[in-house]
Amino acid sequence: MEERGGVYAGRGLELVFWEWEVVTVMSVFSRSRIKCVPADVYSFIYSCHTTGLSLNNDRLYKLTYSTEVLLDRGKGKLQDSVGYRISSNVDVALLWRNPDGDDDQLIQITMKDVNVENVNQQRGEKSIFKGKSPSKIMGKENLEALQRPTLLHLIHGKVKEFYSYQNEAVAIENIKRGLASLFQTQLSSGTTNEVDISGNCKVTYQAHQDKVIKIKALDSCKIARSGFTTPNQVLGVSSKATSVTTYKIEDSFVIAVLVEETHNFGLNFLQTIKGKIVSKQKLELKTTEAGPRLMSGKQAAAIIKAVDSKYTAIPIVGQVFQSHCKGCPSLSELWRSTRKYLQPDNLSKAEAVRNFLAFIQHLRTAKKEEILQILKMENKEVLPQLVDAVTSAQTSDSLEAILDFLDFKSDSSIILQERFLYACGFASHPNEELLRALISKFKGSIGSSDIRETVMIITGTLVRKLCQNEGCKLKAVVEAKKLILGGLEKAEKKEDTRMYLLALKNALLPEGIPSLLKYAEAGEGPISHLATTALQRYDLPFITDEVKKTLNRIYHQNRKVHEKTVRTAAAAIILNNNPSYMDVKNILLSIGELPQEMNKYMLAIVQDILRFEMPASKIVRRVLKEMVAHNYDRFSRSGSSSAYTGYIERSPRSASTYSLDILYSGSGILRRSNLNIFQYIGKAGLHGSQVVIEAQGLEALIAATPDEGEENLDSYAGMSAILFDVQLRPVTFFNGYSDLMSKMLSASGDPISVVKGLILLIDHSQELQLQSGLKANIEVQGGLAIDISGAMEFSLWYRESKTRVKNRVTVVITTDITVDSSFVKAGLETSTETEAGLEFISTVQFSQYPFLVCMQMDKDEAPFRQFGKKYERLSTGRGYVSQKRKESVLAGCEFPLHQENSEMCKVVFAPQPDSTSSGWF
């Protein structure tokens, strides 16, 4: 202890000494003496201990208690909320005090006259509790159990043991735990860990003259509860929880204990989706009277046995309970009512996604046999959607069922196998079990080479997601890493090399960067381009100076000639990852020395960086101050290639961007188009989608001369897509001259689908143990039906080519917040939905030079609907329900691109003059 002006402070206890007088310290419930023993007569240092709660002998404390809970959509308006209140009288008496220490006590707590009612008294006749007695609401057995006394063994104000009767309902015991936890406190300021109904939590006490405030850090509580969330912050849910308990003291005695616990949550990228849970407890002293005499004895165990031998020690920490659903339909019955919404013709409707999400929730409680039964009975039209749902459930039973159902050795069910694999790739919380299953399938026999490739690509996605969730050292992850990196090193066929590079593009393993650099610099065209675009996905810290040296060699062709697509991808990585002054200067100096369309493309990239104020814009402006880099000759290059970035939506906390860049060959034929959509919230980002259409070797069709380094390329066109950070397996339009000619002659103009299906995109489930003893659940799910397709049309007669990329998306986001006591349940449900479309069309007319290019990016008009439902329901079936609906229309638009494009489109789609002549002349 150190002396502070006559006050000795030690371990948060302040003792004011006046000679040898021992001063009483205010406890939570009464004055209790502090025993101090002189440790050293000369220095007046004392060895003391503090007390928490201390009851007086032979007294009965009569109190009132209430706990209430309210749910709302974050606005805090009582009229918009649902909830209920449980109230009672409470008798508290001291049964025993250890004769060797006043701070070792056994108290008895008894709830009496229990009542359940609405918090919102405006319900009136609609109240579910009106005319119902507590025994009817709770059930006779539950009411009797709630009113049986519990025993609390306290040492130094902290809970040593909590005693109740065996075989009581867990939900009822939790309510008693919530009340008992209020009797745990301390008088001195300080931070410590306490175990109560919330778990093992960090708590901070602030002691004042007439009150003690306890602040519990709810995010620190260690308690076994189920739950998961989407790791990506953009698609994730943010939550904040607080708990403050105030002990009011008057005349050395507690007159009230007030608790307020709040849980706020919100969807990060759509702030209108939010909710709030407020739980309150109130304990007030009414009077004291003569109580039971103190029992004598040295051990608490003997006293407890003497009181009632049926008492047993149970944890003070809240326990898990499940509410039983009475008369709920079976899984097969639910599927029969759901399947009509998942017919192929209905997938563009919000109803399909809404039922998809609801059915996933039922699948998560289903057994393997039930799931397998409905899979085996379904027809081929609806089966792909059912596979989406079963895989998205992400339970052990659903995984075992789908693996038993699918036969990877056969190539007759490729669509189902692909839907399963893509659902695995989009999994919100994949586990090691799922990764092990894919590794096992890859090592086994697979009938389709496309499916084998997709298995490896999705394996890479799972590796990244598990590593993001601190699972990089899991055995299955380590094995998968070796499989990807080892396979890439030993690959002999181009197809295998491509497969492992695509897997690495998803896995983003830091240890894979040397391999990517090797293939980027030394590989052939398509392989080199794939390796370079894989590097493009790595974060800034991984694009080191060594990586940039290799990329500079590729761009400037220091060691070998590279295709334009590879060189421009290398330049993009350099410019997007903290380029040096010389990096930028050398790239700018190269403009003018490149093939004509590449000149125009690189110039457009630099201008886009400046216009959009990208991070590299400052260093680019510095370099442009040099006349050698910034002059008319360099910046007046003609051509049709372009690059443009714009905002879809922008706010102070978030932004949604689109970027479109198109590179042409010198003959006017599309070489590559790249359409990207990103969503940012703060520093977190999500690559929402990327659709790349590539073509090569088509110059022979129009008798044009190929560009440098591209003289011997095979005729090819294909499409590659990234969807929600997952690289999908690329698709091919045609490969080889003969394939091209056959498809041109038989072309129908129908688009080729890159990905189609139902995706569970947002998945957040959280179970909360409220301090009052009630159980709360927060569920947020977001799903979408998506169809991304592309087409490339080529007409020799009209000397025109058209590229189309179409995105059709139906999105539904649902939330469900509930608070359950087993006998009454309150909840809030919301649903937000829209049906949107985005189309990109590039039209090229190469009948003249310079050829004409028009790019269009259109967003369709989209309906926007919001539904809200709040309810209170008794376990006996009686309920109160209120629903709201709001609809609006989001206007369609054409996204702006650069001014040159607008002028060109006017020429390409110039109105044709009307003919007024009716004769030959």
Side-chain angles (χ1 to χ4, degrees):
M1 295 184 182
E2 65 181 78
E3 186 172 357
R4 299 176 185 168
V7 177
Y8 287 83
R11 292 184 174 271
L13 173 68
E14 293 189 349
L15 302 176
V16 182
F17 292 97
W18 183 254
E19 295 181 351
W20 285 94
E21 181 182 358
V22 179
V23 182
T24 59
V25 178
M26 193 178 304
S27 76
V28 175
F29 278 84
S30 70
R31 291 181 178 272
S32 65
R33 301 217 168 251
I34 295 181
K35 295 185 177 181
C36 297
V37 182
D40 186 332
V41 173
Y42 300 102
S43 62
F44 290 89
I45 297 176
Y46 286 77
S47 173
C48 307
H49 68 262
T50 65
T51 61
L53 167 76
S54 183
L55 278 72
N56 288 331
N57 301 351
D58 308 333
R59 302 298 297 171
L60 180 67
Y61 295 81
K62 301 191 79 66
L63 307 100
T64 59
Y65 172 69
S66 68
T67 178
E68 64 183 52
V69 64
L70 281 173
L71 311 178
D72 65 52
R73 296 188 180 93
K75 297 179 180 179
K77 295 179 180 179
L78 182 63
Q79 63 268 26
D80 294 333
S81 64
V82 288
Y84 48 89
R85 179 188 294 119
I86 302 170
S87 59
S88 74
N89 293 318
V90 177
D91 288 352
V92 181
L94 179 66
L95 298 184
W96 170 83
R97 192 193 303 275
N98 192 331
D100 296 330
D102 289 350
D103 280 345
D104 188 354
Q105 308 161 92
L106 184 69
I107 64 174
Q108 185 181 65
I109 305 168
T110 309
M111 296 179 73
K112 295 182 174 181
D113 308 319
V114 176
N115 190 34
V116 187
E117 59 186 341
N118 282 111
V119 179
N120 188 350
Q121 298 301 325
Q122 296 176 352
R123 291 280 186 271
E125 294 296 323
K126 294 181 180 178
S127 171
I128 61 172
F129 306 111
K130 186 173 178 63
K132 294 268 188 180
S133 65
S135 62
K136 290 287 186 183
I137 295 169
M138 302 175 66
K140 186 178 178 182
E141 287 186 7
N142 283 342
L143 183 59
E144 288 175 355
L146 189 60
Q147 296 186 147
R148 288 192 200 107
T150 57
L151 304 182
L152 194 62
H153 186 187
L154 297 171
I155 298 179
H156 300 303
K158 309 293 180 174
V159 174
K160 170 69 174 173
E161 292 287 358
F162 175 66
Y163 297 90
S164 190
Y165 291 93
Q166 286 184 331
N167 302 322
E168 289 183 342
V170 174
I172 298 301
E173 285 182 338
N174 280 350
I175 295 173
K176 292 156 87 168
R177 288 181 173 102
L179 172 59
S181 293
L182 298 181
F183 291 82
Q184 178 167 245
T185 188
Q186 71 181 45
L187 298 178
S188 54
S189 297
T191 299
T192 186
N193 270 64
E194 285 184 355
V195 178
D196 64 7
I197 185 165
S198 304
N200 189 334
C201 308
K202 181 181 177 182
V203 295
T204 300
Y205 283 92
Q206 299 172 355
H208 303 273
Q209 184 176 358
D210 59 347
K211 65 182 178 181
V212 173
I213 297 174
K214 176 164 73 173
I215 301 170
K216 185 187 296 182
L218 292 173
D219 58 351
S220 72
C221 294
K222 295 181 176 67
I223 185 170
R225 286 294 181 271
S226 62
F228 46 79
T229 191
T230 306
N232 186 284
Q233 290 184 40
V234 174
L235 299 174
V237 173
S238 294
S239 59
K240 184 180 179 182
T242 61
S243 171
V244 178
T245 304
T246 302
Y247 295 87
K248 293 186 178 180
I249 301 169
E250 187 177 285
D251 296 332
S252 306
F253 200 82
V254 141
I255 57 170
V257 181
L258 304 171
V259 182
E260 181 160 331
E261 177 182 3
T262 62
H263 295 267
N264 289 278
F265 79 91
L267 187 60
N268 290 337
F269 85 90
L270 193 58
Q271 288 188 298
T272 55
I273 297 177
K274 57 185 177 180
K276 185 177 183 180
I277 301 171
V278 180
S279 174
K280 297 180 180 180
Q281 291 170 275
K282 186 176 182 180
L283 185 66
E284 286 187 298
L285 177 71
K286 292 303 178 184
T287 185
T288 63
E289 58 186 48
R293 294 192 61 79
L294 211 61
M295 300 176 72
S296 60
K298 290 202 170 186
Q299 298 295 327
I303 302 299
I304 293 162
K305 191 173 181 180
V307 174
D308 192 335
S309 60
K310 294 179 182 177
Y311 274 118
T312 183
I314 62 174
I316 189 73
V317 177
Q319 302 298 298
V320 177
F321 72 90
Q322 298 294 335
S323 295
H324 299 291
C325 184
K326 297 178 180 178
C328 287
S330 65
L331 187 70
S332 58
E333 289 172 329
L334 282 164
W335 175 242
R336 279 196 291 272
S337 62
T338 300
R339 66 181 303 279
K340 63 184 177 183
Y341 299 106
L342 301 185
Q343 294 286 344
D345 293 342
N346 295 331
L347 291 183
S348 61
K349 300 175 183 176
E351 276 184 330
V353 185
R354 204 182 313 128
N355 280 274
F356 166 71
L357 294 176
F359 192 63
I360 287 173
Q361 295 294 72
H362 293 294
L363 283 166
R364 285 178 169 166
T365 59
K367 298 297 182 186
K368 172 187 171 181
E369 293 73 19
E370 298 177 275
I371 300 170
L372 201 52
Q373 182 184 6
I374 61 171
L375 282 167
K376 289 178 177 178
M377 292 174 62
E378 195 46 72
N379 64 41
K380 65 179 182 179
E381 289 186 343
V382 183
L383 203 46
Q385 289 75 259
L386 179 56
V387 169
D388 290 338
V390 171
T391 312
S392 299
Q394 300 175 72
T395 66
S396 295
D397 282 280
S398 65
L399 179 60
E400 288 179 20
I402 195 69
L403 290 175
D404 277 8
F405 176 71
L406 295 174
D407 181 9
F408 280 81
K409 295 177 183 178
S410 169
D411 61 358
S412 62
S413 59
I414 289 178
I415 292 176
L416 299 181
Q417 294 168 31
E418 189 173 63
R419 294 283 277 262
F420 160 72
L421 291 169
Y422 282 152
C424 290
F426 297 123
S428 55
H429 52 281
N431 56 23
E432 190 180 12
E433 182 185 8
L434 178 58
L435 180 57
R436 273 199 303 265
L438 292 196
I439 293 172
S440 175
K441 292 298 177 187
F442 183 78
K443 289 181 175 180
S445 175
I446 299 178
S448 164
S449 58
D450 285 349
I451 292 300
R452 183 174 183 271
E453 183 179 24
T454 308
V455 170
M456 179 47 59
I457 293 170
I458 299 304
T459 296
T461 302
L462 297 183
V463 167
R464 172 168 50 85
K465 289 190 174 186
L466 288 168
C467 281
Q468 287 174 342
N469 207 25
E470 301 180 352
C472 250
K473 294 182 180 179
L474 294 171
K475 287 183 179 180
V477 175
V478 173
E479 184 181 354
K481 285 183 181 181
K482 289 179 180 177
L483 200 60
I484 295 169
L485 297 173
L488 183 58
E489 187 178 341
K490 297 173 184 176
E492 295 179 358
K493 298 178 182 177
K494 288 182 182 179
E495 295 80 5
D496 288 343
T497 302
R498 186 183 91 144
M499 174 179 70
Y500 289 114
L501 284 173
L502 286 166
L504 191 52
K505 190 175 180 179
N506 272 333
L508 297 180
L509 300 174
E511 54 267 45
I513 291 177
S515 295
L516 292 176
L517 290 173
K518 181 184 79 172
Y519 281 103
E521 188 168 22
E524 295 182 13
I527 294 297
S528 176
H529 182 240
L530 177 55
T532 309
T533 57
L535 284 166
Q536 216 164 1
R537 298 196 68 203
Y538 281 82
D539 290 334
L540 174 62
F542 298 106
I543 309 301
T544 61
D545 290 340
E546 287 300 315
V547 173
K548 289 179 190 173
K549 282 181 184 178
T550 304
L551 294 170
N552 271 302
R553 287 199 302 267
I554 292 170
Y555 176 73
H556 296 290
Q557 303 190 115
N558 297 133
R559 292 186 178 176
K560 63 173 284 190
V561 174
H562 293 277
E563 294 178 25
K564 293 192 296 293
T565 53
V566 179
R567 297 178 68 188
T568 52
I573 299 172
I574 295 168
L575 293 171
N576 289 330
N577 288 275
N578 196 18
S580 68
Y581 187 91
M582 288 309 298
D583 287 337
V584 175
K585 183 174 180 179
N586 286 333
I587 288 174
L588 287 174
L589 290 175
S590 72
I591 299 174
E593 309 299 327
L594 306 170
Q596 183 168 345
E597 283 300 324
M598 189 174 169
N599 269 327
K600 179 63 176 177
Y601 180 85
M602 290 306 303
L603 187 59
I605 288 288
V606 172
Q607 290 170 334
D608 195 40
I609 288 172
L610 295 172
R611 185 190 56 78
F612 200 69
E613 293 290 338
M614 293 181 189
S617 59
K618 291 181 180 179
I619 193 77
V620 170
R621 284 194 171 90
R622 278 183 56 202
V623 175
L624 288 176
K625 290 179 181 178
E626 293 191 36
M627 288 298 295
V628 67
H630 189 195
N631 56 60
Y632 177 79
D633 179 60
R634 203 176 303 284
F635 275 73
S636 61
R637 295 290 168 174
S638 62
S640 300
S641 298
S642 62
Y644 189 88
T645 303
Y647 286 105
I648 297 174
E649 192 176 354
R650 191 180 187 187
S651 71
R653 66 180 292 274
S654 67
S656 181
T657 68
Y658 66 93
S659 67
L660 174 62
D661 60 84
I662 298 188
L663 176 64
Y664 291 97
S665 69
S667 57
I669 295 176
L670 175 74
R671 195 68 178 81
R672 183 188 65 207
S673 74
N674 188 354
L675 173 62
N676 288 278
I677 295 176
F678 285 90
Q679 178 71 46
Y680 298 97
I681 294 180
K683 293 182 179 180
L686 173 71
H687 198 166
S689 72
Q690 178 191 71
V691 180
V692 178
I693 292 183
E694 293 182 78
Q696 66 179 39
L698 304 183
E699 284 78 10
L701 291 174
I702 56 172
T705 303
D707 292 338
E708 180 192 8
E710 301 181 355
E711 296 86 356
N712 300 315
L713 296 179
D714 293 331
S715 298
Y716 166 84
M719 182 161 57
S720 173
I722 292 175
L723 187 61
F724 304 115
D725 276 335
V726 178
Q727 169 69 55
L728 309 179
R729 182 177 61 81
V731 297
T732 300
F733 296 151
F734 57 81
N735 193 0
Y737 189 77
S738 59
D739 189 25
L740 165 62
M741 295 309 296
S742 67
K743 287 182 178 173
M744 281 181 65
L745 294 171
S746 61
S748 64
D750 293 335
I752 295 177
S753 178
V754 181
V755 62
K756 185 175 185 177
L758 293 159
I759 298 173
L760 177 63
L761 191 60
I762 299 165
D763 199 11
H764 178 88
S765 178
Q766 191 176 4
E767 185 176 328
L768 303 172
Q769 177 61 67
L770 300 182
Q771 192 168 315
S772 61
L774 304 178
K775 179 185 76 168
N777 286 82
I778 298 173
E779 304 279 344
V780 184
Q781 268 77 43
L784 66 158
I786 190 162
D787 186 354
I788 297 180
S789 58
M792 188 173 180
E793 302 169 21
F794 200 88
S795 171
L796 290 176
W797 183 262
Y798 293 105
R799 299 184 71 81
E800 180 180 278
S801 72
K802 239 176 204 187
T803 304
R804 295 175 181 270
V805 176
K806 192 162 188 176
N807 293 276
R808 288 294 308 168
V809 177
T810 301
V811 182
V812 175
I813 301 170
T814 63
T815 65
D816 188 7
I817 321 168
T818 58
V819 173
D820 196 356
S821 64
S822 79
F823 50 86
V824 60
K825 186 176 184 179
L828 279 177
E829 296 177 5
T830 65
S831 178
T832 304
E833 55 191 47
T834 187
E835 296 150 13
L838 181 68
E839 186 171 23
F840 161 66
I841 304 171
S842 171
T843 305
V844 182
Q845 292 180 354
F846 47 86
S847 57
Q848 62 186 54
Y849 194 86
F851 43 85
L852 302 176
V853 180
C854 174
M855 294 176 292
Q856 298 162 284
M857 201 161 107
D858 300 328
K859 183 178 76 171
D860 296 342
E861 181 180 87
F864 187 77
R865 297 180 287 268
Q866 292 176 294
F867 305 91
K869 175 182 173 182
K870 60 181 181 180
Y871 63 89
E872 295 160 350
R873 188 178 301 126
L874 295 175
S875 60
T876 54
R878 184 174 180 180
Y880 160 82
V881 179
S882 175
Q883 299 186 76
K884 287 185 177 180
R885 178 187 178 109
K886 184 179 179 182
E887 292 190 44
S888 59
V889 176
L890 304 177
C893 67
E894 182 172 344
F895 289 109
L897 298 171
H898 47 82
Q899 186 61 36
E900 286 180 16
N901 181 68
S902 300
E903 299 298 328
M904 195 80 78
C905 288
K906 291 177 183 177
V907 177
V908 172
F909 297 107
Q912 298 297 321
D914 293 332
S915 177
T916 57
S917 174
S918 59
W920 290 99
F921 301 101

